[in-house]
Amino acid sequence: MVMKKLVVLTGAGMSAESGIGTFRDAGGLWEKYKIDDVATPNAWHRNPGLVLDFYNQRRKQLFTVEPNAGHLVLAELEKHFEVQIITQNVDNLHERAGSTNILHLHGELMKVRSTNVSAEVFDILPDKLEINIGDNCPKGFQLRPHIVWFGEAVPEIEKAEHLTAEADVLVIIGTSLQVYPAAGLIHNAKPNIPIFLIDPHEIANLPANVSVIQKGASEGMKELKKILLKN
Ligand code: OAD
């Protein structure tokens, strides 16, 4: 039997119930930090130590949290669908929940890359979670977080567009859809496929064919699983 393709776009709300705060909700990360101080190429040139510290903290936090029921239901759906996750999240909770096809649009906390033009990417080992000034790649170039900062290109976007265009069902979970190009992916879906959006808050300007499940990721995914397995 050929399984239907379920493409799932996730954002920070996917990991909220695991204890990782979102960016734009009240009390979110962008209320505590200025994007310009920690998440742009300019920030890196002005004060790389501050940027490294910001991502060192985020990385260490990963070891204090676990995937939530929403992540687990998504992983389970691989028994019934060909599931492709496209995540804006830089955490590793989809991986740890057991999902196998994950495209990270905005980079990964557990990777690091060289500031050399060749930009080689390396895994970070759990026994050394911090990157500091002076931590260099084997060719002697400073290492930087493997994160797509504001103002930088999103290298995986074309792949994400193609994957979205192949979806038989599109699911969007926990993203404010305010950051492009990720927010534009919904427009790559074939017309007339079912699109579901899970978010406890109202998302403005959604296309008319989107079915909204106005719940958190865990409850929302349990409800969606029932809907999907009925059909
Ligand atoms: P946002 O913080 O903009 O949006 C989080 C969304 O999650 C909102 O729509 C919330 O309503 C929703 N949410 C909150 N709690 C939830 C829960 N328990 N279950 C499900 N949803 C919940 O985060 P993103 O849309 O992911 O990029 O932000 C996009 C990008 O902007 C991020 O990848 C990051 C950020 O700046 C970079 O750092 C490059």
Side-chain angles (χ1 to χ4, degrees), residues 2-7 77-78 80-84 101 166:
V2 180
M3 291 202 274
K4 282 191 177 173
K5 287 187 182 161
L6 190 76
V7 174
L77 283 178
E78 294 195 8
H80 307 277
F81 296 89
E82 192 183 317
V83 180
Q84 173 68 54
N101 299 312
E166 286 175 0

PDB file of all heavy atoms in Angstrom, residues 2-7 77-78 80-84 101 166:
ATOM      1  N   VAL A   2       0.565   2.186  -0.886  1.00  0.00           N
ATOM      2  CA  VAL A   2       1.338   3.436  -0.889  1.00  0.00           C
ATOM      3  C   VAL A   2       0.767   4.353   0.195  1.00  0.00           C
ATOM      4  O   VAL A   2      -0.446   4.575   0.246  1.00  0.00           O
ATOM      5  CB  VAL A   2       1.231   4.144  -2.269  1.00  0.00           C
ATOM      6  CG1 VAL A   2       2.032   5.434  -2.268  1.00  0.00           C
ATOM      7  CG2 VAL A   2       1.705   3.206  -3.367  1.00  0.00           C
ATOM      8  N   MET A   3       1.647   4.843   1.049  1.00  0.00           N
ATOM      9  CA  MET A   3       1.149   5.701   2.124  1.00  0.00           C
ATOM     10  C   MET A   3       1.043   7.150   1.646  1.00  0.00           C
ATOM     11  O   MET A   3       1.840   7.606   0.832  1.00  0.00           O
ATOM     12  CB  MET A   3       2.093   5.612   3.316  1.00  0.00           C
ATOM     13  CG  MET A   3       2.055   4.253   3.995  1.00  0.00           C
ATOM     14  SD  MET A   3       2.627   4.309   5.692  1.00  0.00           S
ATOM     15  CE  MET A   3       4.379   4.135   5.467  1.00  0.00           C
ATOM     16  N   LYS A   4       0.042   7.855   2.180  1.00  0.00           N
ATOM     17  CA  LYS A   4      -0.111   9.274   1.836  1.00  0.00           C
ATOM     18  C   LYS A   4       1.025  10.089   2.453  1.00  0.00           C
ATOM     19  O   LYS A   4       1.539   9.756   3.525  1.00  0.00           O
ATOM     20  CB  LYS A   4      -1.430   9.796   2.403  1.00  0.00           C
ATOM     21  CG  LYS A   4      -2.641   9.416   1.602  1.00  0.00           C
ATOM     22  CD  LYS A   4      -3.821  10.219   2.113  1.00  0.00           C
ATOM     23  CE  LYS A   4      -5.060   9.940   1.294  1.00  0.00           C
ATOM     24  NZ  LYS A   4      -6.243  10.579   1.873  1.00  0.00           N
ATOM     25  N   LYS A   5       1.347  11.184   1.755  1.00  0.00           N
ATOM     26  CA  LYS A   5       2.429  12.044   2.275  1.00  0.00           C
ATOM     27  C   LYS A   5       1.866  13.125   3.200  1.00  0.00           C
ATOM     28  O   LYS A   5       1.051  13.949   2.769  1.00  0.00           O
ATOM     29  CB  LYS A   5       3.134  12.741   1.105  1.00  0.00           C
ATOM     30  CG  LYS A   5       3.985  11.794   0.316  1.00  0.00           C
ATOM     31  CD  LYS A   5       4.823  12.498  -0.724  1.00  0.00           C
ATOM     32  CE  LYS A   5       5.604  11.439  -1.477  1.00  0.00           C
ATOM     33  NZ  LYS A   5       6.116  11.881  -2.750  1.00  0.00           N
ATOM     34  N   LEU A   6       2.301  13.062   4.441  1.00  0.00           N
ATOM     35  CA  LEU A   6       1.886  14.060   5.428  1.00  0.00           C
ATOM     36  C   LEU A   6       3.073  14.997   5.644  1.00  0.00           C
ATOM     37  O   LEU A   6       4.126  14.562   6.115  1.00  0.00           O
ATOM     38  CB  LEU A   6       1.555  13.315   6.726  1.00  0.00           C
ATOM     39  CG  LEU A   6       0.872  14.086   7.836  1.00  0.00           C
ATOM     40  CD1 LEU A   6      -0.603  14.272   7.504  1.00  0.00           C
ATOM     41  CD2 LEU A   6       0.980  13.291   9.142  1.00  0.00           C
ATOM     42  N   VAL A   7       2.934  16.241   5.260  1.00  0.00           N
ATOM     43  CA  VAL A   7       4.009  17.211   5.477  1.00  0.00           C
ATOM     44  C   VAL A   7       3.610  18.100   6.653  1.00  0.00           C
ATOM     45  O   VAL A   7       2.477  18.585   6.723  1.00  0.00           O
ATOM     46  CB  VAL A   7       4.268  18.040   4.195  1.00  0.00           C
ATOM     47  CG1 VAL A   7       5.285  19.138   4.470  1.00  0.00           C
ATOM     48  CG2 VAL A   7       4.770  17.120   3.084  1.00  0.00           C
ATOM     49  N   LEU A  77       2.735   8.628  13.869  1.00  0.00           N
ATOM     50  CA  LEU A  77       1.994   8.695  12.598  1.00  0.00           C
ATOM     51  C   LEU A  77       2.794   8.107  11.434  1.00  0.00           C
ATOM     52  O   LEU A  77       2.250   7.859  10.363  1.00  0.00           O
ATOM     53  CB  LEU A  77       1.579  10.144  12.284  1.00  0.00           C
ATOM     54  CG  LEU A  77       0.377  10.664  13.082  1.00  0.00           C
ATOM     55  CD1 LEU A  77       0.088  12.117  12.722  1.00  0.00           C
ATOM     56  CD2 LEU A  77      -0.867   9.800  12.841  1.00  0.00           C
ATOM     57  N   GLU A  78       4.095   7.867  11.654  1.00  0.00           N
ATOM     58  CA  GLU A  78       4.901   7.243  10.582  1.00  0.00           C
ATOM     59  C   GLU A  78       4.434   5.815  10.285  1.00  0.00           C
ATOM     60  O   GLU A  78       4.763   5.267   9.246  1.00  0.00           O
ATOM     61  CB  GLU A  78       6.405   7.274  10.941  1.00  0.00           C
ATOM     62  CG  GLU A  78       6.938   8.685  10.982  1.00  0.00           C
ATOM     63  CD  GLU A  78       8.458   8.789  10.982  1.00  0.00           C
ATOM     64  OE1 GLU A  78       9.148   7.773  10.795  1.00  0.00           O
ATOM     65  OE2 GLU A  78       8.950   9.923  11.170  1.00  0.00           O
ATOM     66  N   HIS A  80       1.423   5.158   9.699  1.00  0.00           N
ATOM     67  CA  HIS A  80       0.253   5.289   8.817  1.00  0.00           C
ATOM     68  C   HIS A  80       0.504   6.186   7.608  1.00  0.00           C
ATOM     69  O   HIS A  80      -0.256   6.150   6.644  1.00  0.00           O
ATOM     70  CB  HIS A  80      -0.921   5.873   9.606  1.00  0.00           C
ATOM     71  CG  HIS A  80      -1.230   5.112  10.858  1.00  0.00           C
ATOM     72  ND1 HIS A  80      -1.991   3.983  10.855  1.00  0.00           N
ATOM     73  CD2 HIS A  80      -0.822   5.297  12.145  1.00  0.00           C
ATOM     74  CE1 HIS A  80      -2.083   3.508  12.093  1.00  0.00           C
ATOM     75  NE2 HIS A  80      -1.370   4.289  12.892  1.00  0.00           N
ATOM     76  N   PHE A  81       1.488   7.046   7.704  1.00  0.00           N
ATOM     77  CA  PHE A  81       1.760   8.024   6.642  1.00  0.00           C
ATOM     78  C   PHE A  81       3.257   8.089   6.373  1.00  0.00           C
ATOM     79  O   PHE A  81       4.068   7.753   7.235  1.00  0.00           O
ATOM     80  CB  PHE A  81       1.307   9.435   7.060  1.00  0.00           C
ATOM     81  CG  PHE A  81      -0.166   9.568   7.272  1.00  0.00           C
ATOM     82  CD1 PHE A  81      -0.729   9.311   8.512  1.00  0.00           C
ATOM     83  CD2 PHE A  81      -1.008   9.930   6.234  1.00  0.00           C
ATOM     84  CE1 PHE A  81      -2.092   9.407   8.719  1.00  0.00           C
ATOM     85  CE2 PHE A  81      -2.370  10.038   6.423  1.00  0.00           C
ATOM     86  CZ  PHE A  81      -2.919   9.777   7.670  1.00  0.00           C
ATOM     87  N   GLU A  82       3.567   8.605   5.188  1.00  0.00           N
ATOM     88  CA  GLU A  82       4.959   8.990   4.930  1.00  0.00           C
ATOM     89  C   GLU A  82       5.068  10.410   5.487  1.00  0.00           C
ATOM     90  O   GLU A  82       4.554  11.352   4.882  1.00  0.00           O
ATOM     91  CB  GLU A  82       5.171   8.961   3.409  1.00  0.00           C
ATOM     92  CG  GLU A  82       6.603   9.049   2.992  1.00  0.00           C
ATOM     93  CD  GLU A  82       6.703   9.079   1.472  1.00  0.00           C
ATOM     94  OE1 GLU A  82       6.003   8.317   0.771  1.00  0.00           O
ATOM     95  OE2 GLU A  82       7.482   9.919   0.984  1.00  0.00           O
ATOM     96  N   VAL A  83       5.659  10.539   6.660  1.00  0.00           N
ATOM     97  CA  VAL A  83       5.662  11.842   7.337  1.00  0.00           C
ATOM     98  C   VAL A  83       6.965  12.596   7.048  1.00  0.00           C
ATOM     99  O   VAL A  83       8.057  12.054   7.224  1.00  0.00           O
ATOM    100  CB  VAL A  83       5.503  11.672   8.871  1.00  0.00           C
ATOM    101  CG1 VAL A  83       5.498  13.040   9.559  1.00  0.00           C
ATOM    102  CG2 VAL A  83       4.240  10.898   9.210  1.00  0.00           C
ATOM    103  N   GLN A  84       6.844  13.818   6.605  1.00  0.00           N
ATOM    104  CA  GLN A  84       8.008  14.699   6.414  1.00  0.00           C
ATOM    105  C   GLN A  84       7.812  15.920   7.296  1.00  0.00           C
ATOM    106  O   GLN A  84       6.852  16.678   7.112  1.00  0.00           O
ATOM    107  CB  GLN A  84       8.112  15.130   4.947  1.00  0.00           C
ATOM    108  CG  GLN A  84       9.183  16.189   4.687  1.00  0.00           C
ATOM    109  CD  GLN A  84      10.614  15.674   4.892  1.00  0.00           C
ATOM    110  OE1 GLN A  84      10.994  14.672   4.298  1.00  0.00           O
ATOM    111  NE2 GLN A  84      11.390  16.357   5.733  1.00  0.00           N
ATOM    112  N   ASN A 101      12.137  11.777   9.298  1.00  0.00           N
ATOM    113  CA  ASN A 101      12.403  12.689   8.167  1.00  0.00           C
ATOM    114  C   ASN A 101      12.190  14.123   8.629  1.00  0.00           C
ATOM    115  O   ASN A 101      11.060  14.608   8.670  1.00  0.00           O
ATOM    116  CB  ASN A 101      11.448  12.394   7.004  1.00  0.00           C
ATOM    117  CG  ASN A 101      11.620  10.987   6.503  1.00  0.00           C
ATOM    118  OD1 ASN A 101      12.740  10.534   6.276  1.00  0.00           O
ATOM    119  ND2 ASN A 101      10.513  10.279   6.352  1.00  0.00           N
ATOM    120  N   GLU A 166       4.525  18.394  -2.648  1.00  0.00           N
ATOM    121  CA  GLU A 166       4.198  16.962  -2.823  1.00  0.00           C
ATOM    122  C   GLU A 166       3.217  16.455  -1.773  1.00  0.00           C
ATOM    123  O   GLU A 166       2.802  15.293  -1.811  1.00  0.00           O
ATOM    124  CB  GLU A 166       5.482  16.134  -2.700  1.00  0.00           C
ATOM    125  CG  GLU A 166       6.370  16.267  -3.915  1.00  0.00           C
ATOM    126  CD  GLU A 166       7.685  15.533  -3.724  1.00  0.00           C
ATOM    127  OE1 GLU A 166       7.911  14.930  -2.651  1.00  0.00           O
ATOM    128  OE2 GLU A 166       8.499  15.585  -4.650  1.00  0.00           O
TER     129      GLU A 166
END
